[in-house]
Amino acid sequence: MRQALITTIAILAGFPLATSAEAVPTGNADRIQVGSSGPVFPESITSTKDGTLYTSSVGTGRIYRATPGAKTFTAWSAKENQGPQSILGVLADEKSGTLWACFSDWALNKGDSGMPAVLRAFDLSSGAARAQYQLPPKSFCNDIAIGADGTVYATDTHEGRIMRLKPGAKELDKFFEDARLVGLDGIAIGKDGALLLDNVKSNKLLRLALDHNGEAGELSELHLSAPVSGPDGLRPGGGGVFYLAENGSGLVDSLAIKGNDVTVTPIAHGYQACTSMTQHGDTLYVLEGKIMQYPKNKNAGPFFVYPVRLASP
């Protein structure tokens, strides 16, 4: 009873809590604000080896950066003059010196007509836009993963497909499409090279096998030890563990995958529409996007990233 009361008070006060021994929240004192004001509505987060953090913005169409030790994310990229303006997935690729970003038209997310999505590449050192790749009509680019060979995969939520950009390619190609992937959101790559996927609409996790040529094989639904609500950002962690953000429940989970079985362990909770996270060292940086309030409540800020310390293995 005492622990339940402490948990309730902490959540009401805005303190995300660890729910297992695997993670320990560092508290509000260490949280990092995304932007100083305005309808930022961050949706995705990524990091580099030196601990620099990058977040996207659905509301402002800019990428924000926080250097190690900073208390605030500041605008890093310029606002694009043309094309869709909401930025969802971001992923840093230090090997190529690129920050990849999904630009999508939020009107499409609401069932209205809108511009097709664009995958953009930014110079990781300067923030300058370097290249852009058009997705097909009605597409909604949501998240990104990068294969060992540098192949970039981007999820298309509305059309239930994965787009692919091979190294050196000038255009994206339709890599894989399936009705079960309508609602496709997060994507990550396992040690075996298979693609781990989540569906924010059906609340399912799936695995797409790749053959020795990197082409798509069997799509399998994974069996979860516990249900998830609004699975969103999906990131690989150390030791073969994956991390999952549940925007519906405000949970962050660790995922232990064995075959088609997934052990889901909540490690932190109390967030308002948690949409993504990134690991740096022994810390998981959890993004509270409040995305369910966009665009109706544009005064939902401020927005924060919360560090959660991971226990040693």
Side-chain angles (χ1 to χ4, degrees):
M1 176 65 76
R2 180 176 180 273
Q3 182 59 46
L5 179 61
I6 293 173
T7 299
T8 301
I9 293 172
I11 292 174
L12 292 174
F15 288 87
L17 292 180
T19 55
S20 80
E22 294 186 22
V24 179
T26 58
N28 280 359
D30 295 322
R31 65 187 183 180
I32 310 168
Q33 186 168 339
V34 184
S36 57
S37 62
V40 178
F41 289 95
E43 203 278 337
S44 181
I45 185 169
T46 187
S47 56
T48 52
K49 290 180 181 178
D50 68 352
T52 300
L53 304 172
Y54 299 84
T55 66
S56 62
S57 172
V58 166
T60 69
R62 304 181 74 176
I63 298 169
Y64 292 74
R65 181 180 69 172
T67 54
K71 293 298 183 182
T72 304
F73 283 81
T74 56
W76 177 72
S77 70
K79 187 174 177 62
E80 295 294 324
N81 294 324
Q82 297 180 336
Q85 296 296 307
S86 291
I87 309 177
L88 287 92
V90 289
L91 189 63
D93 179 22
E94 292 185 85
K95 186 176 180 179
S96 66
T98 306
L99 192 287
W100 294 96
C102 276
F103 283 70
S104 294
D105 191 334
W106 198 259
L108 283 167
N109 195 43
K110 296 298 182 180
D112 301 325
S113 60
M115 294 176 284
V118 176
L119 177 68
R120 285 194 169 96
F122 293 85
D123 186 277
L124 195 53
S125 60
S126 68
R130 200 157 65 184
Q132 66 176 32
Y133 306 89
Q134 188 80 48
L135 276 74
K138 299 182 180 179
S139 56
F140 193 86
C141 188
N142 204 322
D143 215 343
I144 306 158
I146 301 173
D149 65 349
T151 296
V152 180
Y153 301 92
T155 61
D156 181 354
T157 302
H158 289 173
E159 300 302 303
R161 62 191 167 202
I162 302 168
M163 303 299 296
R164 177 178 65 177
L165 183 70
K166 290 184 176 181
K170 302 300 182 183
E171 296 180 350
L172 290 159
D173 67 79
K174 296 180 184 179
F175 177 62
F176 186 80
E177 188 170 3
D178 191 284
R180 290 171 290 176
L181 295 184
V182 175
L184 175 61
D185 195 320
I187 182 171
I189 299 178
K191 286 185 176 180
D192 60 356
L195 302 183
L196 182 64
L197 313 164
D198 68 52
N199 189 313
V200 70
K201 292 183 178 180
S202 67
N203 296 317
K204 293 179 178 180
L205 269 66
L206 305 101
R207 178 182 181 274
L208 179 63
L210 303 186
D211 65 20
H212 65 281
N213 292 318
E215 297 303 320
E218 182 182 3
L219 179 67
S220 305
E221 182 179 339
L222 302 181
H223 309 299
L224 307 181
S225 65
V228 295
S229 176
D232 202 315
L234 185 62
R235 298 290 196 220
V241 170
F242 290 85
Y243 295 106
L244 176 69
E246 296 187 40
N247 69 36
S249 65
L251 287 170
V252 178
D253 307 312
S254 69
L255 307 177
I257 303 173
K258 187 175 182 180
N260 282 347
D261 295 321
V262 182
T263 301
V264 180
T265 304
I267 60 173
H269 67 89
Y271 305 100
Q272 296 184 54
C274 171
T275 51
S276 188
M277 78 300 295
T278 186
Q279 182 179 357
H280 179 259
D282 65 353
T283 302
L284 196 65
Y285 290 90
V286 178
L287 177 62
E288 183 180 57
K290 304 181 184 180
I291 203 68
M292 299 305 185
Q293 300 183 50
Y294 183 81
K296 180 184 293 186
N297 181 13
K298 292 191 175 182
N299 297 315
F303 303 91
F304 294 99
V305 169
Y306 293 86
V308 176
R309 191 172 64 253
L310 299 168
S312 300

